[in-house]
Amino acid sequence: DAKTTQPNSMESNEEEPVHLPCNHSTISGTDYIHWYRQLPSQGPEYVIHGLTSNVNNRMASLAIAEDRKSSTLILHRATLRDAAVYYCIRNRGKLIFGQGTELSVKP
Amino acid sequence: SAVISQKPSRDICQRGTSLTIQCQVDSQVTMMFWYRQQPGQSLTLIATANQGSEATYESGFVIDKFPISRPNLTFSTLTVSNMSPEDSSIYLCSVETGHSYEQYFGPGTRLTVT
């Protein structure tokens, strides 16, 4: 079971930081934590991944709890183009998508 | 990363017919995947397609209904056979690159069965 738990929806204001939480309490030691997002009418887009340490890239930051049972995707300054469904996935070589968090961004 | 194209981008088909969807990637990849996204739903993995071996299907999906070919490291096809309206979905292919399993997705094929 590759289940993760995310809030169904979140709201943000434009140009403010957004913290998207994910619970993966049954994660095993070799599972990567991946985040993808799906903009309307597009295929999913890879955002970031990590194993144990916090990670940063040009799109976002990923903060992983020390016990690895939860993680948080951080968008430092939300824009209207960040409105999407964000999926947190335990990656064991194949992606099992949950329902994700639908992020809306208000101007 | 990888650039992935799919053909057709959309189609409307009659029930009982079959449609073959093509997925082309701009670099050689070992792992390719096919997903289905039903209206308003999340993605569901159909199968994993490795070059040189039979596709591995997820629970609820069978080869007779969704035959897959993987003739080389840059190309794969998914056929949706004997279609019914319940097959109306977006079908997406993806490829895996990198050592930590990140995947890149094609734009999808929107299928409507009437």
PDB file of all heavy atoms in Angstrom, chain A residues 2 11 17 21 23-24 30 32 38 56 63 66 72-73 89 91 98 100:
ATOM      1  N   ALA A   2       0.776   2.044  -1.049  1.00  0.00           N
ATOM      2  CA  ALA A   2       1.633   3.222  -1.179  1.00  0.00           C
ATOM      3  C   ALA A   2       0.870   4.475  -0.808  1.00  0.00           C
ATOM      4  O   ALA A   2       1.080   5.530  -1.395  1.00  0.00           O
ATOM      5  CB  ALA A   2       2.147   3.320  -2.620  1.00  0.00           C
ATOM      6  N   GLU A  11      -6.040  27.030  -0.121  1.00  0.00           N
ATOM      7  CA  GLU A  11      -6.082  28.330  -0.793  1.00  0.00           C
ATOM      8  C   GLU A  11      -4.861  29.133  -0.418  1.00  0.00           C
ATOM      9  O   GLU A  11      -4.353  29.019   0.710  1.00  0.00           O
ATOM     10  CB  GLU A  11      -7.334  29.108  -0.354  1.00  0.00           C
ATOM     11  CG  GLU A  11      -8.506  28.958  -1.271  1.00  0.00           C
ATOM     12  CD  GLU A  11      -9.611  29.949  -0.917  1.00  0.00           C
ATOM     13  OE1 GLU A  11      -9.428  30.776   0.000  1.00  0.00           O
ATOM     14  OE2 GLU A  11     -10.653  29.876  -1.561  1.00  0.00           O
ATOM     15  N   PRO A  17       3.909  32.636   0.546  1.00  0.00           N
ATOM     16  CA  PRO A  17       4.378  31.250   0.561  1.00  0.00           C
ATOM     17  C   PRO A  17       3.226  30.286   0.795  1.00  0.00           C
ATOM     18  O   PRO A  17       2.233  30.623   1.427  1.00  0.00           O
ATOM     19  CB  PRO A  17       5.375  31.235   1.723  1.00  0.00           C
ATOM     20  CG  PRO A  17       4.977  32.378   2.588  1.00  0.00           C
ATOM     21  CD  PRO A  17       4.382  33.417   1.693  1.00  0.00           C
ATOM     22  N   PRO A  21       1.089  20.098   2.967  1.00  0.00           N
ATOM     23  CA  PRO A  21       1.526  18.969   3.796  1.00  0.00           C
ATOM     24  C   PRO A  21       1.176  17.616   3.181  1.00  0.00           C
ATOM     25  O   PRO A  21       0.232  17.499   2.391  1.00  0.00           O
ATOM     26  CB  PRO A  21       0.731  19.184   5.084  1.00  0.00           C
ATOM     27  CG  PRO A  21      -0.537  19.817   4.619  1.00  0.00           C
ATOM     28  CD  PRO A  21      -0.177  20.672   3.419  1.00  0.00           C
ATOM     29  N   ASN A  23       1.197  13.348   4.580  1.00  0.00           N
ATOM     30  CA  ASN A  23       1.496  12.330   5.577  1.00  0.00           C
ATOM     31  C   ASN A  23       1.764  11.014   4.884  1.00  0.00           C
ATOM     32  O   ASN A  23       0.977  10.576   4.040  1.00  0.00           O
ATOM     33  CB  ASN A  23       0.310  12.189   6.538  1.00  0.00           C
ATOM     34  CG  ASN A  23       0.573  11.174   7.623  1.00  0.00           C
ATOM     35  OD1 ASN A  23       0.533   9.979   7.361  1.00  0.00           O
ATOM     36  ND2 ASN A  23       0.847  11.637   8.814  1.00  0.00           N
ATOM     37  N   HIS A  24       2.883  10.397   5.205  1.00  0.00           N
ATOM     38  CA  HIS A  24       3.223   9.072   4.652  1.00  0.00           C
ATOM     39  C   HIS A  24       3.797   8.236   5.786  1.00  0.00           C
ATOM     40  O   HIS A  24       4.973   7.844   5.752  1.00  0.00           O
ATOM     41  CB  HIS A  24       4.176   9.174   3.458  1.00  0.00           C
ATOM     42  CG  HIS A  24       5.100  10.346   3.490  1.00  0.00           C
ATOM     43  ND1 HIS A  24       6.235  10.391   4.274  1.00  0.00           N
ATOM     44  CD2 HIS A  24       5.045  11.538   2.831  1.00  0.00           C
ATOM     45  CE1 HIS A  24       6.829  11.546   4.092  1.00  0.00           C
ATOM     46  NE2 HIS A  24       6.146  12.269   3.219  1.00  0.00           N
ATOM     47  N   THR A  30      13.501   2.862   1.869  1.00  0.00           N
ATOM     48  CA  THR A  30      14.023   3.066   0.517  1.00  0.00           C
ATOM     49  C   THR A  30      13.060   3.818  -0.393  1.00  0.00           C
ATOM     50  O   THR A  30      13.363   4.035  -1.562  1.00  0.00           O
ATOM     51  CB  THR A  30      14.349   1.708  -0.127  1.00  0.00           C
ATOM     52  OG1 THR A  30      13.166   0.894  -0.099  1.00  0.00           O
ATOM     53  CG2 THR A  30      15.464   1.013   0.639  1.00  0.00           C
ATOM     54  N   TYR A  32      11.446   6.864  -2.090  1.00  0.00           N
ATOM     55  CA  TYR A  32      11.606   8.290  -2.308  1.00  0.00           C
ATOM     56  C   TYR A  32      10.240   8.983  -2.117  1.00  0.00           C
ATOM     57  O   TYR A  32       9.198   8.377  -2.331  1.00  0.00           O
ATOM     58  CB  TYR A  32      12.102   8.568  -3.723  1.00  0.00           C
ATOM     59  CG  TYR A  32      13.566   8.292  -3.912  1.00  0.00           C
ATOM     60  CD1 TYR A  32      14.010   7.036  -4.310  1.00  0.00           C
ATOM     61  CD2 TYR A  32      14.518   9.287  -3.708  1.00  0.00           C
ATOM     62  CE1 TYR A  32      15.369   6.775  -4.489  1.00  0.00           C
ATOM     63  CE2 TYR A  32      15.867   9.037  -3.889  1.00  0.00           C
ATOM     64  CZ  TYR A  32      16.284   7.780  -4.275  1.00  0.00           C
ATOM     65  OH  TYR A  32      17.619   7.531  -4.448  1.00  0.00           O
ATOM     66  N   GLN A  38      -0.379  18.848 -11.402  1.00  0.00           N
ATOM     67  CA  GLN A  38      -1.098  18.761 -12.661  1.00  0.00           C
ATOM     68  C   GLN A  38      -1.904  20.038 -12.840  1.00  0.00           C
ATOM     69  O   GLN A  38      -2.862  20.280 -12.100  1.00  0.00           O
ATOM     70  CB  GLN A  38      -2.006  17.529 -12.697  1.00  0.00           C
ATOM     71  CG  GLN A  38      -2.636  17.307 -14.063  1.00  0.00           C
ATOM     72  CD  GLN A  38      -3.377  15.985 -14.170  1.00  0.00           C
ATOM     73  OE1 GLN A  38      -3.822  15.426 -13.165  1.00  0.00           O
ATOM     74  NE2 GLN A  38      -3.516  15.484 -15.382  1.00  0.00           N
ATOM     75  N   ASN A  56      16.006  21.575  -2.363  1.00  0.00           N
ATOM     76  CA  ASN A  56      15.550  22.800  -3.021  1.00  0.00           C
ATOM     77  C   ASN A  56      15.814  22.682  -4.516  1.00  0.00           C
ATOM     78  O   ASN A  56      16.824  22.135  -4.943  1.00  0.00           O
ATOM     79  CB  ASN A  56      16.326  24.022  -2.495  1.00  0.00           C
ATOM     80  CG  ASN A  56      16.141  24.205  -1.019  1.00  0.00           C
ATOM     81  OD1 ASN A  56      15.053  24.451  -0.540  1.00  0.00           O
ATOM     82  ND2 ASN A  56      17.232  24.058  -0.274  1.00  0.00           N
ATOM     83  N   ALA A  63      10.576  19.829   2.466  1.00  0.00           N
ATOM     84  CA  ALA A  63      11.025  19.627   3.836  1.00  0.00           C
ATOM     85  C   ALA A  63      10.520  18.264   4.290  1.00  0.00           C
ATOM     86  O   ALA A  63       9.318  17.995   4.258  1.00  0.00           O
ATOM     87  CB  ALA A  63      10.479  20.728   4.736  1.00  0.00           C
ATOM     88  N   GLU A  66      12.118  14.395  10.225  1.00  0.00           N
ATOM     89  CA  GLU A  66      13.250  13.548  10.601  1.00  0.00           C
ATOM     90  C   GLU A  66      12.877  12.064  10.600  1.00  0.00           C
ATOM     91  O   GLU A  66      13.692  11.218  10.211  1.00  0.00           O
ATOM     92  CB  GLU A  66      13.749  13.955  11.989  1.00  0.00           C
ATOM     93  CG  GLU A  66      15.117  13.410  12.339  1.00  0.00           C
ATOM     94  CD  GLU A  66      15.685  14.025  13.600  1.00  0.00           C
ATOM     95  OE1 GLU A  66      15.318  15.178  13.908  1.00  0.00           O
ATOM     96  OE2 GLU A  66      16.474  13.340  14.281  1.00  0.00           O
ATOM     97  N   THR A  72       6.609  18.329   3.576  1.00  0.00           N
ATOM     98  CA  THR A  72       5.909  19.556   3.206  1.00  0.00           C
ATOM     99  C   THR A  72       6.540  20.123   1.951  1.00  0.00           C
ATOM    100  O   THR A  72       7.767  20.303   1.896  1.00  0.00           O
ATOM    101  CB  THR A  72       5.990  20.612   4.324  1.00  0.00           C
ATOM    102  OG1 THR A  72       5.432  20.060   5.519  1.00  0.00           O
ATOM    103  CG2 THR A  72       5.226  21.867   3.934  1.00  0.00           C
ATOM    104  N   LEU A  73       5.708  20.363   0.961  1.00  0.00           N
ATOM    105  CA  LEU A  73       6.159  21.055  -0.243  1.00  0.00           C
ATOM    106  C   LEU A  73       5.971  22.546  -0.020  1.00  0.00           C
ATOM    107  O   LEU A  73       4.885  22.980   0.373  1.00  0.00           O
ATOM    108  CB  LEU A  73       5.359  20.597  -1.458  1.00  0.00           C
ATOM    109  CG  LEU A  73       5.764  21.266  -2.780  1.00  0.00           C
ATOM    110  CD1 LEU A  73       7.117  20.739  -3.241  1.00  0.00           C
ATOM    111  CD2 LEU A  73       4.712  21.028  -3.858  1.00  0.00           C
ATOM    112  N   ILE A  89       3.735  11.499  -3.480  1.00  0.00           N
ATOM    113  CA  ILE A  89       3.735  10.073  -3.810  1.00  0.00           C
ATOM    114  C   ILE A  89       4.965   9.399  -3.215  1.00  0.00           C
ATOM    115  O   ILE A  89       6.074   9.932  -3.323  1.00  0.00           O
ATOM    116  CB  ILE A  89       3.745   9.869  -5.342  1.00  0.00           C
ATOM    117  CG1 ILE A  89       2.527  10.559  -5.977  1.00  0.00           C
ATOM    118  CG2 ILE A  89       3.784   8.392  -5.701  1.00  0.00           C
ATOM    119  CD1 ILE A  89       2.560  10.597  -7.480  1.00  0.00           C
ATOM    120  N   ASN A  91       7.476   6.824  -3.893  1.00  0.00           N
ATOM    121  CA  ASN A  91       7.899   6.210  -5.146  1.00  0.00           C
ATOM    122  C   ASN A  91       8.726   4.966  -4.899  1.00  0.00           C
ATOM    123  O   ASN A  91       9.823   5.024  -4.360  1.00  0.00           O
ATOM    124  CB  ASN A  91       8.689   7.213  -5.974  1.00  0.00           C
ATOM    125  CG  ASN A  91       8.818   6.781  -7.418  1.00  0.00           C
ATOM    126  OD1 ASN A  91       8.774   5.581  -7.714  1.00  0.00           O
ATOM    127  ND2 ASN A  91       8.953   7.725  -8.311  1.00  0.00           N
ATOM    128  N   GLY A  98      -2.609   9.391  -5.444  1.00  0.00           N
ATOM    129  CA  GLY A  98      -3.791   9.606  -4.615  1.00  0.00           C
ATOM    130  C   GLY A  98      -4.618  10.718  -5.220  1.00  0.00           C
ATOM    131  O   GLY A  98      -4.484  11.029  -6.414  1.00  0.00           O
ATOM    132  N   GLY A 100      -4.575  13.905  -4.188  1.00  0.00           N
ATOM    133  CA  GLY A 100      -3.841  15.154  -4.228  1.00  0.00           C
ATOM    134  C   GLY A 100      -4.537  16.309  -3.529  1.00  0.00           C
ATOM    135  O   GLY A 100      -5.651  16.178  -3.000  1.00  0.00           O
TER     136      GLY A 100
END
